[in-house]
């Protein structure tokens, strides 16, 4: 009888056991980031289609946080902001080396934090919403409205920067299509913000594209990093 075959190896003193939950935790956190964009957009579109007086061609989705049912959109901001931050933590743990390791996670964290700012500082009413508000555009920003806009702008600029940083990682991996798209999407997002004065739909399109591409990017990186484990 071979005694050595019956003895299990003993881990060195002080070593952390490698459990399945430890290995999969980054992927689980990245799953939160993947879910954030679709959840936010789905909740926003459903509210926009059912809230009286709301018009996607005139009103920004952030205005859904106003009125009696505004708490739903506030919770949408909070939940999705936390999911994005969790996704950023997953990215930090999964991207062990290479381009994007240093800057991408904190930039995505800033984007998630901007959702929490939007939850606390509501957008100004205007363009007929909530019901009873003047049909004309908002002539001056309140303090809350100004902080809301500034937080959103900073958040989306951070997201655009994260895409550009991650484009370098995709290039290094030989994923030219992903690298190219990660450079084009920020241009579209910024163009949507710039064109918001002319059309609210342009703003919505740019913001939605940023959220969708964040989900796609995290999903791609989750697949890449899990295949190396």
């Amino acid at each position: 009888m071979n005694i050595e075959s019956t003895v299990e190896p003993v881990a060195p003193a002080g070593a952390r056991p490698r459990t399945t939950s430890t290995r999969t935790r980054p992927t689980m956190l990245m799953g939160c980031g993947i879910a954030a964009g679709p959840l936010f957009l789905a909740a926003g579109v459903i509210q926009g289609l059912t809230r009286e007086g709301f018009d996607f061609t005139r009103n920004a989705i952030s205005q859904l946080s106003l009125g009696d049912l505004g708490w739903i959109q506030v919770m949408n901001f909070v939940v999705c902001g936390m999911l994005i931050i969790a996704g950023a933590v997953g990215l930090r743990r999964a991207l062990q080396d290479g381009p994007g390791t240093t800057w991408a996670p904190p930039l995505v964290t800033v984007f998630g934090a901007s959702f929490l700012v939007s939850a606390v500082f509501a957008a100004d009413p205007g363009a007929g919403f909530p019901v009873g508000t003047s049909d004309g555009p908002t002539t001056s920003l309140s303090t809350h409205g100004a902080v809301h806009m500034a937080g959103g702008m900073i958040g989306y600029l951070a997201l655009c920067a994260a895409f550009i940083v991650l484009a370098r990682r995709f290039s290094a991996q030989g994923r030219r299509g992903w690298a190219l798209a990660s450079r084009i999407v920020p241009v579209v997002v910024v163009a949507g913000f710039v064109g918001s004065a002319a059309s609210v739909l342009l703003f919505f399109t740019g913001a939605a594209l940023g959220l969708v591409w964040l989900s796609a990017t995290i999903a791609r990186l989750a697949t890449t990093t899990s295949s190396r484990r």
Side-chain angles (χ1 to χ4, degrees), residues 169-218:
R169 188 177 189 88
F170 287 131
S171 293
Q173 294 174 343
R175 303 181 186 279
R176 296 182 179 179
W178 285 85
L180 178 61
S182 294
R183 293 185 176 97
I184 293 176
V185 168
V187 176
V188 178
V189 171
V190 172
F193 272 74
V194 173
S196 61
S199 172
V200 177
L201 280 177
L202 288 177
F203 171 78
F204 177 78
T205 300
L209 178 61
L211 283 167
V212 170
W213 191 246
L214 176 62
S215 295
T217 299
I218 295 177

Side-chain angles (χ1 to χ4, degrees), residues 21 40 51 57 99 116 167 174 193:
S21 60
F40 183 83
R51 293 282 300 274
T57 64
L116 303 183
F193 272 74

